[in-house]
Amino acid sequence: MTGHDGDRRTGRRQAVVKAAGLTLAAALVLGGAAAGWAYWHLNNNIRSVDINSALGDDRPAKAVTTPSVSASASASASPLPTEALNILVLGSDSRSGKANKELGGGDSSGARSDTAMVVHIDAGRTEATVVSIPRDTLVTRPSCPLSSGGSTSVAYNAMFNSAYSLGGPVCAVKTVESVTGVRMDHYIEIDFSGFAKLVDALGGVTVTTGQDIDDDKSHLHLAAGTHHLNGKQALALARTRHGIGDGSDLGRIGLQQKLVKALLEQIAATDLLTDPAKLYQVADAITGSLTTDTGLNSLSELMHLGQSLKGLTADQVRTVMMPVVTAPSDPNRVIAKEPAASKLWKSLR
């Protein structure tokens, strides 16, 4: 490998490009009145849920850290935060509509969380761990407040993803916190069509699979090897489970984690600032697909988070799955493997 090639590859692995940076840059490069309209449009794309108010104080304690502040940051009127963060990221088919239905999404009465990841960012924000939680995990689902009033009942041996179906983001966060003992500082949800649009806006993603994939349910048929996927194909890969391994959710998680890495690499390798039209397309796809907690529901808040993660590189993002074993009550379900699962969650507090 030549030095030039090494520099290029290193550049492609540089900091995970943040949605906030993209959206803000989109507004800046358009200039003038167009910039004002772009900022307004992108900012209003983002939907939010006030999870903190809904859950109140009945939650795990926030991690107590002493963030370090650089000389330049301490001189700033608004220094960037460096404390550890835990963010629940869900991929869902919760938004009804033609685009989602064409991609296999559900309707408003059948919302599901197909993907659940706890993203832990270490203090200093230069390393991160992404923990996938199998949706087929049996858990004790706690009582959750409902937006219509009242609350759900505690449910034992409930499927993990039933929390979202029953009580939306609030119950999803409540359940994750109950299972892990880890406080979720933020919540981010991305829907089917938005994910596919993002991949298409980036020009696709390149993924290498170690085995053939033949899944009629996700409509994905790939021979083992390297493939450049468009948005619809990438979404099918993220949802594939019947065409690989034993057909369980565990095999799908491996594909999802591979896809996350590929997407980060593609974003880092795409010079969006030289192409304002593509930049805006990517920013619109990202913000148009997001539901967040109220702490991240504006471009300025997303930008502040993104800037605080500028020292985080793709090489320093570790992907793991919550340790599980087959559930004694159902061979098609899993439960947390102890003490390994508790040890993992303790490391993220």
Side-chain angles (χ1 to χ4, degrees), residues 17-27 42 198 202 267 272 279 282-283 286:
V17 176
K18 315 306 179 300
L22 294 176
T23 52
L24 180 64
L42 296 172
L198 171 60
L202 289 168
I267 292 174
L272 295 171
L279 175 59
V282 169
I286 292 173

Side-chain angles (χ1 to χ4, degrees), residues 71-287:
S72 59
S74 62
S76 170
S78 181
L80 295 174
T82 59
E83 71 274 12
L85 277 181
N86 290 297
I87 304 173
L88 176 60
V89 178
L90 293 187
S92 78
D93 62 355
S94 63
R95 294 184 187 175
S96 60
K98 182 179 179 181
N100 274 322
K101 289 180 180 178
E102 288 178 350
L103 292 167
D107 56 31
S108 58
S109 63
R112 297 165 296 180
S113 55
D114 270 12
T115 303
M117 297 178 178
V118 172
V119 179
H120 172 78
I121 303 166
D122 289 352
R125 304 197 179 182
T126 59
E127 295 182 341
T129 301
V130 179
V131 184
S132 295
I133 303 177
R135 71 174 191 173
D136 293 340
T137 304
L138 297 181
V139 301
T140 297
R141 190 182 66 224
S143 174
C144 299
L146 296 173
S147 58
S148 58
S151 59
T152 66
S153 299
V154 175
Y156 301 95
N157 291 317
M159 275 186 62
F160 169 75
N161 72 337
S162 69
Y164 182 92
S165 301
L166 186 67
V170 170
C171 197
V173 170
K174 181 77 171 179
T175 300
V176 169
E177 292 185 341
S178 176
V179 168
T180 67
V182 179
R183 172 75 168 244
M184 295 297 110
D185 300 293
H186 291 297
Y187 171 84
I188 296 176
E189 176 188 328
I190 185 168
D191 70 20
F192 276 5
S193 64
F195 177 79
K197 288 177 183 177
L198 171 60
V199 172
D200 283 335
L202 289 168
V205 293
T206 300
V207 175
T208 299
T209 62
Q211 63 184 101
D212 295 345
I213 296 176
D214 191 15
D215 190 345
D216 290 334
K217 291 193 175 182
S218 69
H219 308 294
L220 186 66
H221 304 278
L222 293 176
T226 300
H227 303 273
H228 192 73
L229 308 179
N230 62 25
K232 188 173 183 178
Q233 291 170 321
L235 179 61
L237 182 68
R239 301 185 66 217
T240 289
R241 65 184 293 180
H242 299 285
I244 56 168
D246 60 1
S248 73
D249 195 44
L250 307 188
R252 170 164 56 189
I253 284 176
L255 292 178
Q256 290 173 347
Q257 292 179 339
K258 187 186 294 287
L259 185 57
V260 166
K261 287 282 192 178
L263 187 60
L264 294 178
E265 293 287 350
Q266 181 64 28
I267 292 174
T270 305
D271 189 5
L272 295 171
L273 291 177
T274 63
D275 189 342
K278 176 176 283 191
L279 175 59
Y280 182 80
Q281 186 181 7
V282 169
D284 195 34
I286 292 173
T287 57

Side-chain angles (χ1 to χ4, degrees), residues 9-76:
R9 183 164 297 179
T10 299
R12 289 180 177 177
R13 291 197 300 264
Q14 288 310 302
V16 178
V17 176
K18 315 306 179 300
L22 294 176
T23 52
L24 180 64
L28 292 176
V29 298
L30 290 174
W37 178 87
Y39 188 95
W40 176 87
H41 174 73
L42 296 172
N43 200 63
N44 280 273
N45 269 345
I46 305 167
R47 306 179 193 185
S48 65
V49 177
D50 192 350
I51 291 172
N52 286 337
S53 292
L55 295 184
D57 296 327
D58 184 20
R59 308 176 66 183
K62 288 187 176 183
V64 178
T65 59
T66 304
S68 59
V69 181
S70 66
S72 59
S74 62
S76 170

